[in-house]
């Protein structure tokens, strides 16, 4: 076999070639001396003339140039497939070559040394030009390349380094070279390497020379690459720099001008070659995709005729894809070779599909049972809200699926469970659910009645779907009656729950205590959820009754679902123990928390005052009495009104009073400016003086506030006339809106 590597493609160019040609010739491989078979000398030397005018060395050169139309005679004793090609007239051979594509013409030249000698001469240059002209949209051959070099640059994948046999090269269209990944590293360099001395390539040039010629050898404009990527051909820089240093100053200027013109030409032609090559690659990719698609369609048609289904095609299987997605036409022989492999893969895929469909049908049945089950739970619980985490507190779905009546539905290989099938077995599930809900409501009643001795699930071994031994024979109707009675008892407005978490201070009525537990606590069962709730103490329960009585609501008959829960977002109750100037309208929840917070403050501050020495109050005399603390929110001390519900006119009057009070808050009697004449800030607000109470123990005084609020605090909490100089201290300055809403 004749090797095609190491061939040198080069014409004897005109004298107009430039420095860029030299940089290419340095790396081009020389034509190797192929061994020739020794043959007997022909008797008639005139008939053996070769068609290699101007290229064959030695004595044959003169003979080959005499007769152009002589038959080409092969001198080897043994002919091959090309023996007839070598014996045809030259004009016929030239005519045949003119119909070849450029890459086919190059491959023909690489098949043997004799054809190489024939096609690599100036006399057949018109053949190469004709071949290039036949390619649509191909840019013209650049003037710094001859036609075979141009074809090699466009179509070849060989490395330009002498002795390198690697393929898969990367082309640089500006420098007209191709290098493999191994040779690309030393042959090409980047701007970063040239710029920094510690990593600079050894070119043997002066820094001034490099700075002058560097910009004319950067290929990034033609290659569309970043400036710091490798875009400089090392050999081209060396040659141009060496020549530049040998020229005089005037000649150097002309040389730089010529380099600039050649650089612009190379950028223009390089971009054209790059765009054409990209279009060719894209077109080739489309052709390959079309060939793969045609092969896939043919195989699919054959497999469907054999009885396979399209769902059985394992397109995610790499082995299957490699067999059906090839850019190779499907012939009968190829089909016979791959048929048994495809059938084996299809059989495995069909078994996996059928098994997956069976699992999916079971999941569908489980999902249908779960939906029917949740529907029964919602109907039984009758909650006025929907919550995504309700399922976490229900009896486990595994217990429902394990019921003797449910198990056959789950094991039957059907698509899903219909409503008719569910109705036949729903009674067993409903019975478990109503017992579980009845036990939950009983536990809530126990929490309200402080029955902490009876812990959940101690007598019935679990609260999900079980009842006491004495209730095993209870009917569903009896259990539903118990649920109705328990729900009625829990729905009274006096059935108030709190939360064991100190961060949650709100009060909850049934069934919103369950909603709170689902939203704020991670509970996996109803027992865990109920452990988060606590009832109010006796004072708290008495407070609720007092507030309901003050609001003219009967504590023994009013339902939380009718009065309290519907008014949760309507803040229309006002505390009568607070000064109307600073009071705010609240709902019943806020009223309860308001009184409980004040009661806790009073108990804590009373203990702090009793235990604190006189030194806590340096402004008083040594023997003075401790300040008096008044519990103005003590609902147990007397029967005065705790809260009221204002009508629209009364509410507007209170809000007007509060707006006037906020304007007066800007006035500080001890400051130089008062009221609306206060200093106006650059940020758009009034300067307000805020004070703290010195009569309260440390950490119990209110936050720094205006003088008017401190005066109200001292009158109500300490039962004395305020003395701003001795009872208060100026805390901070702040910006405030003079008319807050």
């Amino acid at each position: 076999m004749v090797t095609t590597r190491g061939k040198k493609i080069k014409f004897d160019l005109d004298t107009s070639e430039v420095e860029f040609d030299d940089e290419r010739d340095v790396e081009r491989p020389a034509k190797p001396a192929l061994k020739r078979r020794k043959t007997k000398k022909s008797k008639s030397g005139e008939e053996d003339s070769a068609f290699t005018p101007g290229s064959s060395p030695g004595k044959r050169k003169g003979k080959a140039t005499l007769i152009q139309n002589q038959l080409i005679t092969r001198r080897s004793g043994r002919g091959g497939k090309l023996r007839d090609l070598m014996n045809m007239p030259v004009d016929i051979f030239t005519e045949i070559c003119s119909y070849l594509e450029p890459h086919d013409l190059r491959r023909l030249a690489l098949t043997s040394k004799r054809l190489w000698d024939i096609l690599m001469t100036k006399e057949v240059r018109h053949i190469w030009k004709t071949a290039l002209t036949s390619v649509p949209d191909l840019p013209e051959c650049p003037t710094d390349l001859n036609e075979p070099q141009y074809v090699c640059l466009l179509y070849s994948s060989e490395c330009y380094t002498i002795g390198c046999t690697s393929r898969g090269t990367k082309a640089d269209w500006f420098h007209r070279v191709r290098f493999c990944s191994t040779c690309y590293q030393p042959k090409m360099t980047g701007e970063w390497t040239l710029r920094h001395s510690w990593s600079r390539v050894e070119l043997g040039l002066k820094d001034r020379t490099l700075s002058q010629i560097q910009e004319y050898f950067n290929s990034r404009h033609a290659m569309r690459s970043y400036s710091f990527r490798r875009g400089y051909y090392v050999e081209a820089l060396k040659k141009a720099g060496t020549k530049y240093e040998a020229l005089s100053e005037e000649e150097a200027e002309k040389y730089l001008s010529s380099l600039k013109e050649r650089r612009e030409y190379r950028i223009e032609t390089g971009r054209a070659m790059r765009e054409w090559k990209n279009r060719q690659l894209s077109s080739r990719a489309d052709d390959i995709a079309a060939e793969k698609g045609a092969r896939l369609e043919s195989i699919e048609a054959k497999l469907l005729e054999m009885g396979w289904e399209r769902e059985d095609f394992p397109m995610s299987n790499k082995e299957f894809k490699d067999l059906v997605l090839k850019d190779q036409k499907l012939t009968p022989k190829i089909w016979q070779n791959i048929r048994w492999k495809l059938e084996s893969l299809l059989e495995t895929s069909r078994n996996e599909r059928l098994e997956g469909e069976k699992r999916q049908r079971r999941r569908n049945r489980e999902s249908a049972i779960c939906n029917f089950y949740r529907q029964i739970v919602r109907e039984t619980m009758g909650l006025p809200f929907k919550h995504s985490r309700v399922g976490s507190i229900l009896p486990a779905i595994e217990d429902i699926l394990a019921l003797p009546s449910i198990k056959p539905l789950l094991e039957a290989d059907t698509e899903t469970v219909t409503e008719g099938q569910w109705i036949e077995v729903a009674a067993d599930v409903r019975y478990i659910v109503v017992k579980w809900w009845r036990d939950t409501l009983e536990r809530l009643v126990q929490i309200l009645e402080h029955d902490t001795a009876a812990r959940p699930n101690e007598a019935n071994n679990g609260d999900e779907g079980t009842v006491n031994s004495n209730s095993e024979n209870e009917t569903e109707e009896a259990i539903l009656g118990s649920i109705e009675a328990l729900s009625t008892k829990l729905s009274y407005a006096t059935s108030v729950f709190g939360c064991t978490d100190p961060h949650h201070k709100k009060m909850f009525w049934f069934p919103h205590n369950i909603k709170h537990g689902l939203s704020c606590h991670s509970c996996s069962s109803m027992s865990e959820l109920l452990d988060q709730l606590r009832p109010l103490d006796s004072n708290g329960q008495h407070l609720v009754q007092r507030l309901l009585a003050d609001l003219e609501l009967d504590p023994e008959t009013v339902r939380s679902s009718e009065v309290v829960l519907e008014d949760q977002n309507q803040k229309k109750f006002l505390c009568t123990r607070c000064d109307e100037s600073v009071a705010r309208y609240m709902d019943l929840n806020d009223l309860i928390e308001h009184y409980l917070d004040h009661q806790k403050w009073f108990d804590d501050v009373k203990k702090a005052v009793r235990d604190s020495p006189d030194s806590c109050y340096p402004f008083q005399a040594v023997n003075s009495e401790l300040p008096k603390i008044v519990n103005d929110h003590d609902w147990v001390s007397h029967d005065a009104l705790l809260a009221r519900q204002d009508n629209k006119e009364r509410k507007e009057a209170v809000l007007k009073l509060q707006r006037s009070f906020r304007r007066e808050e800007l006035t500080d009697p001890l400051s130089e400016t008062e009221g609306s004449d206060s200093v106006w800030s650059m940020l758009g607000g009034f300067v307000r003086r805020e004070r703290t109470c010195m009569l309260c123990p440390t950490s119990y005084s209110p936050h720094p506030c205006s003088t008017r609020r401190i005066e109200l605090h001292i009158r109500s909490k300490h039962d004395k006339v305020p003395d701003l100089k001795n009872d208060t201290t100026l805390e901070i300055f702040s910006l405030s809106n003079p008319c807050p809403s």
Side-chain angles (χ1 to χ4, degrees), residues 133-190:
T133 306
S134 64
V135 179
D137 301 328
L138 179 67
E140 294 184 1
C141 179
T143 57
D144 53 348
L145 292 176
N146 55 43
E147 285 76 9
Q149 291 172 341
Y150 188 42
V151 173
C152 180
L153 179 65
L154 291 178
Y155 295 100
S156 174
S157 61
E158 300 172 359
C159 182
Y160 279 24
T161 304
I162 298 176
C164 180
T165 59
S166 299
R167 293 182 181 271
T169 56
K170 179 179 179 181
D172 190 304
W173 306 109
F174 179 83
H175 295 293
R176 323 302 202 213
V177 291
R178 280 184 175 271
F179 292 118
C180 62
S181 58
T182 304
C183 300
Y184 184 78
Q185 187 79 11
K187 299 296 183 181
M188 303 293 293
T189 185

Side-chain angles (χ1 to χ4, degrees), residues 691-694 710 714 723-730:
R691 296 182 176 274
T692 56
C693 177
M694 294 295 293
I710 286 294
I714 294 175
D723 184 1
L724 296 180
K725 291 185 178 180
N726 298 323
D727 297 344
T728 65
T729 178
L730 187 63

Side-chain angles (χ1 to χ4, degrees), residues 464-500:
E464 273 81 8
T466 58
V467 295
N468 297 331
S469 58
N470 58 1
S471 62
E472 292 180 355
N473 298 325
E474 283 184 307
T475 62
E476 183 178 339
E477 290 75 11
I479 298 176
L480 290 174
S482 300
I483 290 176
E484 184 177 356
L486 292 170
S487 299
T488 301
K489 187 174 183 179
L490 290 170
S491 63
Y492 286 130
T494 53
S495 301
V496 185
F497 294 86
C499 182
T500 57

Side-chain angles (χ1 to χ4, degrees), residues 14-23 144 262 266:
D14 300 333
T15 57
S16 60
E17 296 183 17
V18 296
E19 311 303 329
F20 293 98
D21 300 321
D22 297 333
E23 73 191 44
D144 53 348
R262 295 164 189 171
R266 289 223 169 184

Side-chain angles (χ1 to χ4, degrees), residues 268-305:
E268 180 182 357
T269 55
R271 286 177 178 174
M273 286 188 285
R274 185 199 69 212
E275 293 173 358
W276 179 87
K277 190 65 177 180
N278 291 340
R279 290 195 299 269
Q280 293 296 309
L281 294 176
S282 177
S283 176
R284 177 55 182 161
D286 295 340
D287 295 341
I288 292 176
E291 293 174 1
K292 290 181 178 180
R295 180 187 174 99
L296 177 60
E297 291 179 1
S298 302
I299 294 176
E300 284 183 349
K302 293 180 178 295
L303 293 176
L304 293 175
E305 291 177 0

Side-chain angles (χ1 to χ4, degrees), residues 188 196 254 289 340 362 416 553 564 622:
M188 303 293 293
H196 295 82
K254 295 181 180 180
W340 66 273
R362 181 181 177 88
T416 185
L553 300 173
V564 179
V622 177

Side-chain angles (χ1 to χ4, degrees), residues 10 16 33 159 186 211 235 321 363 366 385 452 513 546 622 642 672 736:
K10 182 178 179 181
S16 60
C159 182
S211 63
E235 292 298 327
K321 289 174 63 176
R363 287 193 293 267
E366 290 181 359
F385 56 84
T452 57
N513 51 2
R546 284 281 309 277
V622 177
L642 299 181
E672 297 179 357
S736 173

